[in-house]
Amino acid sequence: MSLEAYDYFLPEELIAQEGMEPRDRARMLVVHREGPFRAEHRQVRDLPEYLRSGDVLVFNESKVIPARLLAQRPTGGRVEVLLVRERAPGLWEALVGPGRKAKPGTRLRFLSPRDLHVVPDLEAEVVGVEEDGVRLLRFQGGLMAHLEEVGEVPLPPYIKARIPPERYQTVYARRPGSVAAPTAGLHFTPELLARLRDMGVELRFLTLHVGPGTFRPVKGDPEKHEMHPEPYEIPEETAEAINRAKKEGRRVVAVGTTVARALESAFQEGIGVV
């Protein structure tokens, strides 16, 4: 497999910098898989036309956290920290750049991104380095209590505009833990969800926390590219609803690749989703 085979030119002016308002006015490409190839250009608000009563629509309710932090070393030099996940209370996996300036034993103090003042009562020590370069940070002072003050939402590198944090969340986001939004879900509005419920579509939720691997470019052979593991959880009621629908011949529709990955992983691991 050649990475170059997937290369194409995309003019920067065609990369949207802000989300469509209202959200469900975003464009939706519908590809018909049965019969001769046929595609339609629609909007997300047209989705109910392609669903029917009894379908199960599965969403990822993970919430983006302000995971990008700016830290200062004892020498005064600064490093950028991207939180990955909390391994144990107060112990976080993180990407730190430049990594060579964050060796084990380095103590970090954190700066407010608004005015770059040092936030008191919050420090971390680099206590380990994993094989893939991920740092282990031991926080003192309660990170979660200060996260809104010291952190920023890590927008994708191709987004240059400043976006309000709430706009980079799905309207149903509930469980904090992602460093990037599950993108497909960004296009749903409360009104669209209500329309789907009213027509008999069953809405179910799971959680997959999107990791920093979503930002890392693929280099070399795509089949050898390693992604950071991403934790997921499928509630029992969601698993039961999916299994019931499959047994009854009803359709199960995944909203986005994060949901598809969670369901496929659950099937492969044999934990109850067919």
Side-chain angles (χ1 to χ4, degrees), residues 50-112:
Y50 300 93
L51 299 176
R52 54 178 177 259
S53 179
D55 287 345
V56 177
L57 202 57
V58 187
F59 299 85
N60 180 7
E61 61 182 354
S62 181
K63 187 174 184 178
V64 182
I65 62 174
R68 177 172 287 145
L69 291 70
L70 185 63
Q72 181 174 284
R73 298 180 294 124
T75 61
R78 295 174 181 174
V79 294
E80 186 175 280
V81 175
L82 181 63
L83 301 175
V84 175
R85 69 182 180 95
E86 190 173 26
R87 180 177 291 189
L91 181 66
W92 280 79
E93 297 177 8
L95 300 178
V96 181
R100 65 182 183 280
K101 297 184 178 181
K103 298 178 181 179
T106 302
R107 298 194 67 84
L108 302 173
R109 301 188 71 185
F110 295 88
L111 308 176
S112 166

Side-chain angles (χ1 to χ4, degrees), residues 11-248:
E12 286 194 17
E13 62 270 18
L14 296 183
I15 302 176
Q17 296 296 306
E18 297 178 352
M20 181 67 70
E21 290 294 346
R23 295 173 182 237
D24 58 5
R25 288 290 299 274
R27 289 181 291 181
M28 179 177 71
L29 177 65
V30 180
V31 177
H32 296 268
R33 297 190 297 172
E34 297 179 357
F37 176 83
R38 184 165 62 93
E40 298 178 81
H41 293 275
R42 304 294 300 272
Q43 293 180 336
V44 175
R45 61 173 56 186
D46 301 323
L47 179 62
E49 297 181 29
Y50 300 93
L51 299 176
R52 54 178 177 259
S53 179
D55 287 345
V56 177
L57 202 57
V58 187
F59 299 85
N60 180 7
E61 61 182 354
S62 181
K63 187 174 184 178
V64 182
I65 62 174
R68 177 172 287 145
L69 291 70
L70 185 63
Q72 181 174 284
R73 298 180 294 124
T75 61
R78 295 174 181 174
V79 294
E80 186 175 280
V81 175
L82 181 63
L83 301 175
V84 175
R85 69 182 180 95
E86 190 173 26
R87 180 177 291 189
L91 181 66
W92 280 79
E93 297 177 8
L95 300 178
V96 181
R100 65 182 183 280
K101 297 184 178 181
K103 298 178 181 179
T106 302
R107 298 194 67 84
L108 302 173
R109 301 188 71 185
F110 295 88
L111 308 176
S112 166
R114 265 62 73 179
D115 56 14
L116 299 182
H117 76 271
V118 174
V119 175
D121 305 321
L122 181 64
E123 294 186 7
E125 179 183 355
V126 181
V127 296
V129 181
E130 306 283 83
E131 289 185 4
D132 57 359
V134 170
R135 265 58 181 173
L136 299 180
L137 304 184
R138 175 79 66 186
F139 282 86
Q140 293 89 38
L143 172 62
M144 299 309 294
H146 294 279
L147 195 54
E148 293 295 333
E149 181 180 4
V150 300
E152 291 185 303
V153 171
L155 295 174
Y158 50 83
I159 299 295
K160 310 300 181 185
R162 295 191 66 85
I163 298 176
E166 64 275 8
R167 188 58 183 84
Y168 196 55
Q169 304 279 9
T170 62
V171 297
Y172 47 79
R174 189 176 67 89
R175 303 190 63 185
S178 281
V179 302
T183 311
L186 289 174
H187 307 306
F188 285 80
T189 63
E191 294 77 15
L192 178 56
L193 296 174
R195 286 173 58 201
L196 292 167
R197 288 192 184 96
D198 290 344
M199 62 179 286
V201 174
E202 192 173 346
L203 309 186
R204 294 292 176 174
F205 299 86
L206 54 76
T207 301
L208 182 142
H209 292 315
V210 182
T214 190
F215 297 133
R216 285 191 162 181
V218 178
K219 298 180 180 180
D221 186 346
E223 293 185 311
K224 296 180 180 178
H225 179 72
E226 292 188 11
M227 292 286 290
H228 280 280
E230 297 170 317
Y232 72 91
E233 179 182 345
I234 301 178
E236 184 176 347
E237 59 269 24
T238 297
E240 290 176 350
I242 292 172
N243 287 328
R244 186 167 54 249
K246 296 290 286 184
K247 291 177 181 177
E248 295 173 359

